[in-house]
Amino acid sequence: HVERARRRAGEADVVVINHALWLGELRAKRQGRSAGVPGASAVVFDEAHALRDQVQQWHTTRAEAPALARFWRDVEELAQGPARGAAPWAALALQGRRALRSLALALQTDLAREGLQPWPPMNAALARDLGFALQGVHQALRAAQGSDVRLAALGERAVRFASVLQGVLAPAGDDSAWLDWRDAAHWALVRPGADAGPAAAHELATGAAWGARSVVHTSATLGDEPGLRWHRDALGLHAAAPVRVLAAEEAAPWPGAAWHVPRGLPEPAEPGHGEALARCIAAWAPQLDGHALVLTTTRRAAQRMALVLAQTMPTQWRVLHASEEGHRRAWAALRSEDPRRSPTVVVASGAFWR
């Protein structure tokens, strides 16, 4: 199957792949081989705004919260095996779980947005507690070597996690640690590798390894700053020709419809974007004299949007969060033509629309 796909790609005029396969091909080329992506004279990146995060993930090591939680459970299980008397495994695991939980709760309190971002320095002390816990269990694992076949693998995992924590505990100003945040149970410490610098970013964003002569970046969320410096600088495109941002026509392809981006609205990645947008929607929805559907990119964003709208909409309006109220009830509310109905705003994520 793989060889057939490679052969068809080599014979094609246009090859469509995702970002992950693109990264895989770059890694393969650095090792002197190929993942099957043919060379091209022109490369088009759709959703190009995501390349900035891809750069940070390229050549990185990660310590993910679920993996850390599994690690401490595996350490605790040693208390029931051949090495049960070699160290206080349950106490070591409890220390690690407490440090991990404290760090997650502090991050949840301090962070204003999801996604990849620099490590917040105010949490270094809690990260240090997690590092001490890893150091203690690693010493115990080394001292008990030979008493249980699981010890060597657990020691390697402890070393890998500790190496990522070193970036978090580096001196202030050392941009060697990042945080990939979703929620208190799903987050990761990220440490860029030595190759994740400007040259690697430039290669990722241009297809230089393929000899591409033309590169196009397209995205609906690159922002409106004329030079797109945040995008160009992150990808090592300093010498690139000035970027011209094209604006879509306001008239939609069907009558009576248009699109609008209000001036002064914070960018999606900026703190306060959701709250500012919710205030706009609270002003717009009553002008529709009926129902309104608000779609967000994630369920978490939908939950926040529904909460703010419930606090700001006029009292006669209902606010339904589709994930909590149920999709059928949400659709029924939108379709209702009962003149006695209450005007309604339904807030949902992209999954609801699909």
Side-chain angles (χ1 to χ4, degrees):
H1 174 75
V2 173
E3 290 302 322
R4 183 166 62 251
R6 288 177 176 174
R7 185 171 61 253
R8 292 183 62 190
E11 296 170 350
D13 296 315
V14 178
V15 178
V16 182
I17 61 175
N18 59 25
H19 289 183
L21 186 55
W22 178 257
L23 287 174
E25 179 65 22
L26 288 177
R27 293 190 182 101
K29 281 190 174 296
R30 289 203 162 194
Q31 298 169 5
R33 55 188 181 86
S34 172
V37 180
S41 59
V43 179
V44 179
F45 291 98
D46 193 19
E47 303 295 343
H49 62 275
L51 290 175
R52 187 185 189 188
D53 287 349
Q54 296 282 6
V55 169
Q56 298 300 333
Q57 296 174 31
W58 194 27
H59 297 294
T60 62
T61 51
R62 297 168 64 91
E64 300 189 352
L68 281 162
R70 284 195 302 272
F71 172 78
W72 294 118
R73 287 197 299 270
D74 292 344
V75 169
E76 186 175 26
E77 289 178 0
L78 293 175
Q80 309 300 323
R84 57 184 176 274
W89 302 117
L92 290 169
L94 179 61
Q95 180 188 4
R97 283 202 301 271
R98 283 177 173 173
L100 181 63
R101 187 184 310 115
S102 297
L103 181 58
L105 291 176
L107 291 171
Q108 188 175 36
T109 301
D110 294 339
L111 295 177
R113 65 178 179 88
E114 299 178 21
L116 198 67
Q117 54 199 289
W119 174 262
M122 70 286 293
N123 294 298
L126 293 172
R128 192 174 294 111
D129 291 342
L130 182 57
F132 287 147
L134 285 168
Q135 183 180 20
V137 78
H138 183 249
Q139 291 173 349
L141 290 167
R142 289 186 62 185
Q145 282 291 346
S147 58
D148 192 319
V149 295
R150 295 172 291 180
L151 299 183
L154 283 170
E156 292 175 0
R157 288 161 66 186
V159 169
R160 186 168 65 251
F161 293 142
S163 70
V164 181
L165 273 171
Q166 286 179 3
V168 173
L169 302 176
D174 186 347
D175 192 19
S176 58
W178 289 73
L179 175 67
D180 193 357
W181 178 263
R182 198 170 96 197
D183 55 46
H186 303 89
W187 53 275
L189 302 171
V190 182
R191 188 175 187 185
D195 292 331
H202 187 273
E203 182 180 355
L204 170 70
T206 62
W210 283 260
R213 297 192 302 272
S214 301
V215 181
V216 178
H217 287 195
T218 69
S219 171
T221 53
L222 279 175
D224 56 6
E225 191 267 313
L228 295 179
R229 287 192 60 86
W230 72 268
H231 181 70
R232 295 165 61 197
D233 291 353
L235 298 174
L237 303 176
H238 310 292
V243 179
R244 181 183 178 189
V245 180
L246 303 179
E249 294 291 334
E250 289 201 10
W254 56 88
W259 71 292
H260 171 63
V261 179
R263 294 183 180 276
L265 187 70
E267 291 293 320
E270 294 179 3
H273 168 81
E275 289 75 9
L277 185 57
R279 289 193 294 270
C280 291
I281 293 169
W284 297 334
Q287 299 179 39
L288 300 177
D289 296 326
H291 298 327
L293 172 62
V294 180
L295 291 174
T296 65
T297 53
T298 65
R299 289 186 178 182
R300 186 177 180 185
Q303 188 177 32
R304 288 199 299 261
M305 178 71 69
L307 180 63
V308 177
L309 284 174
Q311 298 169 348
T312 55
M313 290 296 298
T315 54
Q316 70 271 25
W317 279 72
R318 288 190 305 165
V319 177
L320 298 182
H321 181 202
S323 294
E324 295 178 359
E325 303 287 347
H327 288 187
R328 288 191 176 184
R329 185 183 176 193
W331 273 122
L334 287 174
R335 290 172 170 170
S336 174
E337 297 182 1
D338 187 343
R340 298 168 298 175
R341 74 194 189 286
S342 298
T344 302
V345 175
V346 173
V347 185
S349 65
F352 169 83
W353 184 250
R354 289 193 297 271

Short mmCIF file of all heavy atoms in Angstrom, two decimals, residues 58-113:
data_model
loop_
_atom_site.label_atom_id
_atom_site.label_comp_id
_atom_site.label_asym_id
_atom_site.label_seq_id
_atom_site.Cartn_x
_atom_site.Cartn_y
_atom_site.Cartn_z
N TRP A 58 8.69 20.67 16.08
CA TRP A 58 9.69 19.97 15.28
C TRP A 58 10.98 19.84 16.09
O TRP A 58 11.49 20.80 16.65
CB TRP A 58 9.93 20.77 14.00
CG TRP A 58 10.66 20.02 12.94
CD1 TRP A 58 10.70 18.68 12.75
CD2 TRP A 58 11.44 20.60 11.89
NE1 TRP A 58 11.45 18.38 11.65
CE2 TRP A 58 11.92 19.54 11.11
CE3 TRP A 58 11.77 21.91 11.54
CZ2 TRP A 58 12.72 19.75 9.99
CZ3 TRP A 58 12.56 22.10 10.44
CH2 TRP A 58 13.03 21.03 9.67
N HIS A 59 11.53 18.65 16.13
CA HIS A 59 12.76 18.39 16.90
C HIS A 59 12.61 18.79 18.36
O HIS A 59 13.46 19.47 18.92
CB HIS A 59 13.95 19.13 16.28
CG HIS A 59 14.28 18.70 14.88
ND1 HIS A 59 14.74 17.44 14.59
CD2 HIS A 59 14.19 19.35 13.70
CE1 HIS A 59 14.94 17.33 13.28
NE2 HIS A 59 14.59 18.47 12.73
N THR A 60 11.50 18.41 18.96
CA THR A 60 11.28 18.73 20.36
C THR A 60 11.12 17.45 21.18
O THR A 60 10.83 16.39 20.64
CB THR A 60 10.02 19.59 20.56
OG1 THR A 60 8.88 18.85 20.11
CG2 THR A 60 10.10 20.89 19.81
N THR A 61 11.31 17.58 22.48
CA THR A 61 10.95 16.51 23.41
C THR A 61 9.80 17.03 24.27
O THR A 61 9.75 18.21 24.61
CB THR A 61 12.13 16.12 24.30
OG1 THR A 61 12.69 17.30 24.91
CG2 THR A 61 13.21 15.44 23.49
N ARG A 62 8.89 16.13 24.62
CA ARG A 62 7.68 16.51 25.33
C ARG A 62 7.52 15.65 26.58
O ARG A 62 7.82 14.47 26.57
CB ARG A 62 6.44 16.36 24.44
CG ARG A 62 6.44 17.25 23.22
CD ARG A 62 5.34 16.83 22.24
NE ARG A 62 4.00 16.97 22.79
CZ ARG A 62 3.26 18.07 22.67
NH1 ARG A 62 3.75 19.12 22.02
NH2 ARG A 62 2.05 18.14 23.19
N ALA A 63 7.02 16.29 27.63
CA ALA A 63 6.60 15.57 28.83
C ALA A 63 5.12 15.86 29.00
O ALA A 63 4.72 16.94 29.43
CB ALA A 63 7.39 16.04 30.05
N GLU A 64 4.28 14.89 28.59
CA GLU A 64 2.83 15.11 28.58
C GLU A 64 2.22 14.68 29.91
O GLU A 64 2.63 13.68 30.51
CB GLU A 64 2.20 14.35 27.42
CG GLU A 64 2.75 14.80 26.06
CD GLU A 64 1.98 14.20 24.90
OE1 GLU A 64 1.13 13.32 25.16
OE2 GLU A 64 2.23 14.62 23.76
N ALA A 65 1.23 15.45 30.36
CA ALA A 65 0.61 15.19 31.66
C ALA A 65 0.05 13.78 31.77
O ALA A 65 0.26 13.11 32.79
CB ALA A 65 -0.48 16.24 31.92
N PRO A 66 -0.68 13.24 30.76
CA PRO A 66 -1.16 11.86 30.89
C PRO A 66 -0.03 10.85 31.03
O PRO A 66 -0.15 9.88 31.79
CB PRO A 66 -1.95 11.65 29.59
CG PRO A 66 -2.35 13.01 29.15
CD PRO A 66 -1.21 13.89 29.54
N ALA A 67 1.09 11.08 30.32
CA ALA A 67 2.23 10.17 30.42
C ALA A 67 2.87 10.25 31.80
O ALA A 67 3.29 9.23 32.37
CB ALA A 67 3.26 10.48 29.34
N LEU A 68 2.96 11.46 32.36
CA LEU A 68 3.49 11.61 33.71
C LEU A 68 2.59 10.92 34.73
O LEU A 68 3.07 10.28 35.67
CB LEU A 68 3.63 13.10 34.05
CG LEU A 68 4.85 13.80 33.46
CD1 LEU A 68 4.66 15.31 33.48
CD2 LEU A 68 6.12 13.41 34.22
N ALA A 69 1.28 11.06 34.55
CA ALA A 69 0.36 10.39 35.47
C ALA A 69 0.51 8.87 35.40
O ALA A 69 0.50 8.18 36.43
CB ALA A 69 -1.08 10.81 35.14
N ARG A 70 0.66 8.33 34.18
CA ARG A 70 0.88 6.88 34.04
C ARG A 70 2.19 6.46 34.69
O ARG A 70 2.28 5.38 35.29
CB ARG A 70 0.88 6.49 32.55
CG ARG A 70 -0.49 6.45 31.92
CD ARG A 70 -0.45 5.73 30.58
NE ARG A 70 0.48 6.35 29.65
CZ ARG A 70 0.15 7.33 28.82
NH1 ARG A 70 -1.09 7.82 28.83
NH2 ARG A 70 1.04 7.85 27.99
N PHE A 71 3.22 7.31 34.57
CA PHE A 71 4.52 6.99 35.15
C PHE A 71 4.40 6.80 36.66
O PHE A 71 4.91 5.83 37.23
CB PHE A 71 5.52 8.11 34.83
CG PHE A 71 6.83 7.97 35.53
CD1 PHE A 71 7.80 7.07 35.08
CD2 PHE A 71 7.11 8.73 36.66
CE1 PHE A 71 9.01 6.94 35.73
CE2 PHE A 71 8.32 8.61 37.32
CZ PHE A 71 9.28 7.71 36.85
N TRP A 72 3.70 7.72 37.34
CA TRP A 72 3.58 7.60 38.79
C TRP A 72 2.71 6.41 39.18
O TRP A 72 2.96 5.78 40.22
CB TRP A 72 3.02 8.90 39.37
CG TRP A 72 3.95 10.05 39.21
CD1 TRP A 72 3.74 11.21 38.51
CD2 TRP A 72 5.29 10.16 39.73
NE1 TRP A 72 4.84 12.02 38.55
CE2 TRP A 72 5.81 11.41 39.30
CE3 TRP A 72 6.09 9.33 40.51
CZ2 TRP A 72 7.09 11.83 39.63
CZ3 TRP A 72 7.37 9.76 40.84
CH2 TRP A 72 7.86 10.99 40.41
N ARG A 73 1.72 6.05 38.37
CA ARG A 73 0.95 4.83 38.66
C ARG A 73 1.85 3.60 38.53
O ARG A 73 1.76 2.67 39.35
CB ARG A 73 -0.24 4.72 37.70
CG ARG A 73 -1.37 5.69 37.99
CD ARG A 73 -2.66 5.27 37.30
NE ARG A 73 -2.52 5.23 35.86
CZ ARG A 73 -2.77 6.26 35.05
NH1 ARG A 73 -3.15 7.42 35.56
NH2 ARG A 73 -2.64 6.14 33.75
N ASP A 74 2.72 3.57 37.51
CA ASP A 74 3.62 2.43 37.33
C ASP A 74 4.62 2.33 38.47
O ASP A 74 4.99 1.22 38.89
CB ASP A 74 4.36 2.56 35.99
CG ASP A 74 3.43 2.40 34.80
OD1 ASP A 74 2.31 1.90 34.99
OD2 ASP A 74 3.82 2.80 33.68
N VAL A 75 5.08 3.48 38.98
CA VAL A 75 5.99 3.46 40.13
C VAL A 75 5.28 2.87 41.35
O VAL A 75 5.84 2.04 42.09
CB VAL A 75 6.51 4.88 40.44
CG1 VAL A 75 7.23 4.92 41.79
CG2 VAL A 75 7.44 5.36 39.33
N GLU A 76 4.03 3.26 41.55
CA GLU A 76 3.28 2.75 42.70
C GLU A 76 3.10 1.23 42.62
O GLU A 76 3.12 0.54 43.65
CB GLU A 76 1.93 3.45 42.80
CG GLU A 76 1.14 3.09 44.04
CD GLU A 76 -0.13 3.89 44.16
OE1 GLU A 76 -0.65 4.34 43.10
OE2 GLU A 76 -0.61 4.08 45.29
N GLU A 77 2.92 0.71 41.40
CA GLU A 77 2.72 -0.73 41.23
C GLU A 77 3.96 -1.53 41.62
O GLU A 77 3.86 -2.74 41.87
CB GLU A 77 2.34 -1.04 39.78
CG GLU A 77 0.92 -0.58 39.43
CD GLU A 77 0.59 -0.86 37.98
OE1 GLU A 77 1.45 -1.40 37.26
OE2 GLU A 77 -0.53 -0.51 37.55
N LEU A 78 5.14 -0.90 41.67
CA LEU A 78 6.34 -1.62 42.09
C LEU A 78 6.23 -2.12 43.52
O LEU A 78 6.93 -3.07 43.91
CB LEU A 78 7.57 -0.71 41.95
CG LEU A 78 7.97 -0.31 40.53
CD1 LEU A 78 9.13 0.68 40.57
CD2 LEU A 78 8.35 -1.53 39.70
N ALA A 79 5.37 -1.49 44.33
CA ALA A 79 5.19 -1.91 45.72
C ALA A 79 4.55 -3.29 45.81
O ALA A 79 4.58 -3.92 46.89
CB ALA A 79 4.34 -0.89 46.47
N GLN A 80 3.99 -3.79 44.70
CA GLN A 80 3.36 -5.11 44.70
C GLN A 80 4.21 -6.17 43.99
O GLN A 80 3.78 -7.31 43.88
CB GLN A 80 1.99 -5.03 44.01
CG GLN A 80 1.09 -3.92 44.52
CD GLN A 80 0.78 -4.07 46.00
OE1 GLN A 80 0.61 -5.19 46.49
NE2 GLN A 80 0.73 -2.96 46.72
N GLY A 81 5.40 -5.81 43.51
CA GLY A 81 6.21 -6.74 42.73
C GLY A 81 7.47 -7.18 43.44
O GLY A 81 7.63 -6.97 44.65
N PRO A 82 8.41 -7.77 42.69
CA PRO A 82 9.65 -8.28 43.28
C PRO A 82 10.48 -7.20 43.98
O PRO A 82 11.26 -7.52 44.88
CB PRO A 82 10.40 -8.85 42.07
CG PRO A 82 9.34 -9.12 41.05
CD PRO A 82 8.30 -8.07 41.26
N ALA A 83 10.35 -5.94 43.54
CA ALA A 83 11.17 -4.87 44.12
C ALA A 83 10.45 -4.14 45.25
O ALA A 83 10.84 -3.03 45.63
CB ALA A 83 11.56 -3.87 43.03
N ARG A 84 9.41 -4.76 45.82
CA ARG A 84 8.57 -4.04 46.79
C ARG A 84 9.34 -3.58 48.03
O ARG A 84 9.00 -2.57 48.64
CB ARG A 84 7.39 -4.90 47.21
CG ARG A 84 7.74 -6.26 47.79
CD ARG A 84 6.47 -7.05 48.07
NE ARG A 84 6.77 -8.40 48.54
CZ ARG A 84 6.98 -9.44 47.73
NH1 ARG A 84 6.90 -9.26 46.42
NH2 ARG A 84 7.24 -10.64 48.22
N GLY A 85 10.38 -4.28 48.40
CA GLY A 85 11.13 -3.88 49.60
C GLY A 85 12.33 -3.02 49.32
O GLY A 85 13.04 -2.61 50.25
N ALA A 86 12.57 -2.70 48.04
CA ALA A 86 13.79 -1.97 47.68
C ALA A 86 13.69 -0.48 47.93
O ALA A 86 14.71 0.20 48.07
CB ALA A 86 14.13 -2.23 46.21
N ALA A 87 12.48 0.07 47.96
CA ALA A 87 12.29 1.51 48.14
C ALA A 87 10.83 1.76 48.53
O ALA A 87 9.96 0.92 48.27
CB ALA A 87 12.64 2.27 46.86
N PRO A 88 10.53 2.90 49.13
CA PRO A 88 9.14 3.23 49.48
C PRO A 88 8.38 3.72 48.24
O PRO A 88 8.07 4.91 48.11
CB PRO A 88 9.30 4.33 50.53
CG PRO A 88 10.58 5.01 50.18
CD PRO A 88 11.47 3.92 49.64
N TRP A 89 8.06 2.78 47.34
CA TRP A 89 7.50 3.15 46.04
C TRP A 89 6.20 3.93 46.17
O TRP A 89 5.96 4.91 45.44
CB TRP A 89 7.29 1.91 45.19
CG TRP A 89 8.52 1.10 44.96
CD1 TRP A 89 8.76 -0.18 45.36
CD2 TRP A 89 9.71 1.53 44.28
NE1 TRP A 89 10.01 -0.58 44.99
CE2 TRP A 89 10.62 0.44 44.32
CE3 TRP A 89 10.10 2.71 43.66
CZ2 TRP A 89 11.89 0.49 43.75
CZ3 TRP A 89 11.37 2.77 43.08
CH2 TRP A 89 12.24 1.69 43.13
N ALA A 90 5.31 3.51 47.08
CA ALA A 90 4.02 4.19 47.23
C ALA A 90 4.22 5.64 47.66
O ALA A 90 3.54 6.55 47.16
CB ALA A 90 3.14 3.44 48.22
N ALA A 91 5.14 5.88 48.59
CA ALA A 91 5.39 7.24 49.05
C ALA A 91 6.01 8.09 47.95
O ALA A 91 5.66 9.27 47.78
CB ALA A 91 6.31 7.22 50.28
N LEU A 92 6.93 7.51 47.17
CA LEU A 92 7.54 8.25 46.06
C LEU A 92 6.50 8.61 45.01
O LEU A 92 6.49 9.72 44.46
CB LEU A 92 8.66 7.41 45.44
CG LEU A 92 9.92 7.21 46.28
CD1 LEU A 92 10.81 6.13 45.66
CD2 LEU A 92 10.68 8.53 46.41
N ALA A 93 5.60 7.65 44.73
CA ALA A 93 4.55 7.92 43.74
C ALA A 93 3.58 8.99 44.24
O ALA A 93 3.14 9.86 43.46
CB ALA A 93 3.79 6.62 43.43
N LEU A 94 3.26 8.96 45.52
CA LEU A 94 2.37 9.97 46.09
C LEU A 94 2.99 11.36 45.99
O LEU A 94 2.32 12.34 45.63
CB LEU A 94 2.07 9.64 47.55
CG LEU A 94 1.16 10.63 48.29
CD1 LEU A 94 -0.20 10.70 47.62
CD2 LEU A 94 1.03 10.22 49.76
N GLN A 95 4.29 11.47 46.27
CA GLN A 95 4.98 12.75 46.14
C GLN A 95 4.92 13.27 44.71
O GLN A 95 4.66 14.45 44.46
CB GLN A 95 6.44 12.60 46.58
CG GLN A 95 7.25 13.89 46.47
CD GLN A 95 8.73 13.67 46.73
OE1 GLN A 95 9.18 12.52 46.91
NE2 GLN A 95 9.50 14.74 46.74
N GLY A 96 5.13 12.37 43.74
CA GLY A 96 5.08 12.77 42.34
C GLY A 96 3.70 13.20 41.90
O GLY A 96 3.54 14.20 41.18
N ARG A 97 2.67 12.44 42.31
CA ARG A 97 1.30 12.79 41.91
C ARG A 97 0.89 14.13 42.51
O ARG A 97 0.22 14.93 41.85
CB ARG A 97 0.34 11.68 42.35
CG ARG A 97 0.37 10.44 41.49
CD ARG A 97 -0.92 9.66 41.63
NE ARG A 97 -1.14 9.28 43.02
CZ ARG A 97 -0.69 8.15 43.57
NH1 ARG A 97 0.02 7.30 42.84
NH2 ARG A 97 -0.94 7.86 44.83
N ARG A 98 1.27 14.39 43.75
CA ARG A 98 0.92 15.66 44.37
C ARG A 98 1.60 16.83 43.64
O ARG A 98 0.99 17.87 43.42
CB ARG A 98 1.33 15.65 45.84
CG ARG A 98 0.38 14.85 46.73
CD ARG A 98 0.89 14.82 48.17
NE ARG A 98 -0.08 14.19 49.05
CZ ARG A 98 0.16 13.90 50.33
NH1 ARG A 98 1.35 14.18 50.86
NH2 ARG A 98 -0.77 13.34 51.07
N ALA A 99 2.87 16.64 43.30
CA ALA A 99 3.59 17.70 42.58
C ALA A 99 2.96 17.95 41.22
O ALA A 99 2.80 19.11 40.79
CB ALA A 99 5.06 17.32 42.43
N LEU A 100 2.58 16.89 40.53
CA LEU A 100 1.96 17.03 39.21
C LEU A 100 0.61 17.72 39.32
O LEU A 100 0.29 18.62 38.53
CB LEU A 100 1.80 15.64 38.58
CG LEU A 100 1.19 15.59 37.18
CD1 LEU A 100 2.08 16.32 36.18
CD2 LEU A 100 0.97 14.14 36.74
N ARG A 101 -0.20 17.34 40.31
CA ARG A 101 -1.52 17.95 40.48
C ARG A 101 -1.39 19.43 40.85
O ARG A 101 -2.13 20.27 40.32
CB ARG A 101 -2.29 17.20 41.56
CG ARG A 101 -3.75 17.65 41.69
CD ARG A 101 -4.47 16.95 42.84
NE ARG A 101 -4.29 15.51 42.80
CZ ARG A 101 -3.64 14.82 43.72
NH1 ARG A 101 -3.09 15.44 44.75
NH2 ARG A 101 -3.53 13.51 43.62
N SER A 102 -0.48 19.77 41.74
CA SER A 102 -0.30 21.17 42.14
C SER A 102 0.12 22.03 40.96
O SER A 102 -0.36 23.15 40.77
CB SER A 102 0.74 21.26 43.26
OG SER A 102 0.32 20.58 44.42
N LEU A 103 1.01 21.49 40.13
CA LEU A 103 1.47 22.24 38.96
C LEU A 103 0.32 22.45 37.97
O LEU A 103 0.14 23.55 37.44
CB LEU A 103 2.62 21.49 38.29
CG LEU A 103 3.24 22.14 37.05
CD1 LEU A 103 3.76 23.53 37.37
CD2 LEU A 103 4.37 21.26 36.50
N ALA A 104 -0.49 21.41 37.74
CA ALA A 104 -1.61 21.53 36.80
C ALA A 104 -2.63 22.55 37.27
O ALA A 104 -3.13 23.35 36.48
CB ALA A 104 -2.26 20.16 36.61
N LEU A 105 -2.95 22.55 38.57
CA LEU A 105 -3.94 23.50 39.09
C LEU A 105 -3.42 24.93 39.01
O LEU A 105 -4.19 25.85 38.71
CB LEU A 105 -4.28 23.13 40.53
CG LEU A 105 -5.06 21.83 40.72
CD1 LEU A 105 -5.24 21.52 42.20
CD2 LEU A 105 -6.41 21.90 40.02
N ALA A 106 -2.13 25.13 39.28
CA ALA A 106 -1.56 26.47 39.18
C ALA A 106 -1.59 26.97 37.74
O ALA A 106 -1.91 28.14 37.48
CB ALA A 106 -0.13 26.47 39.72
N LEU A 107 -1.26 26.10 36.80
CA LEU A 107 -1.29 26.49 35.40
C LEU A 107 -2.71 26.84 34.97
O LEU A 107 -2.94 27.81 34.24
CB LEU A 107 -0.73 25.36 34.53
CG LEU A 107 0.76 25.08 34.66
CD1 LEU A 107 1.12 23.80 33.92
CD2 LEU A 107 1.58 26.25 34.11
N GLN A 108 -3.67 26.04 35.40
CA GLN A 108 -5.06 26.30 35.03
C GLN A 108 -5.52 27.67 35.53
O GLN A 108 -6.30 28.36 34.87
CB GLN A 108 -5.96 25.20 35.62
CG GLN A 108 -7.40 25.25 35.16
CD GLN A 108 -8.20 24.08 35.68
OE1 GLN A 108 -8.00 23.61 36.81
NE2 GLN A 108 -9.10 23.56 34.88
N THR A 109 -5.03 28.08 36.70
CA THR A 109 -5.40 29.37 37.26
C THR A 109 -4.73 30.52 36.52
O THR A 109 -5.34 31.57 36.29
CB THR A 109 -5.00 29.43 38.75
OG1 THR A 109 -5.67 28.37 39.45
CG2 THR A 109 -5.39 30.76 39.36
N ASP A 110 -3.48 30.34 36.10
CA ASP A 110 -2.69 31.44 35.55
C ASP A 110 -2.88 31.65 34.06
O ASP A 110 -2.69 32.77 33.57
CB ASP A 110 -1.20 31.21 35.82
CG ASP A 110 -0.88 31.26 37.31
OD1 ASP A 110 -1.68 31.83 38.06
OD2 ASP A 110 0.15 30.71 37.72
N LEU A 111 -3.24 30.60 33.31
CA LEU A 111 -3.23 30.71 31.85
C LEU A 111 -4.49 31.37 31.33
O LEU A 111 -5.59 31.15 31.84
CB LEU A 111 -3.07 29.32 31.21
CG LEU A 111 -1.73 28.63 31.50
CD1 LEU A 111 -1.72 27.25 30.88
CD2 LEU A 111 -0.56 29.45 30.98
N ALA A 112 -4.31 32.16 30.26
CA ALA A 112 -5.45 32.87 29.65
C ALA A 112 -5.92 32.24 28.35
O ALA A 112 -6.96 32.60 27.83
CB ALA A 112 -5.05 34.33 29.39
N ARG A 113 -5.17 31.30 27.80
CA ARG A 113 -5.56 30.73 26.51
C ARG A 113 -5.02 29.31 26.37
O ARG A 113 -4.13 28.88 27.11
CB ARG A 113 -5.04 31.59 25.35
CG ARG A 113 -3.52 31.65 25.23
CD ARG A 113 -3.10 32.49 24.03
NE ARG A 113 -1.66 32.60 23.89
CZ ARG A 113 -0.92 31.74 23.21
NH1 ARG A 113 -1.47 30.69 22.62
NH2 ARG A 113 0.39 31.92 23.10
#
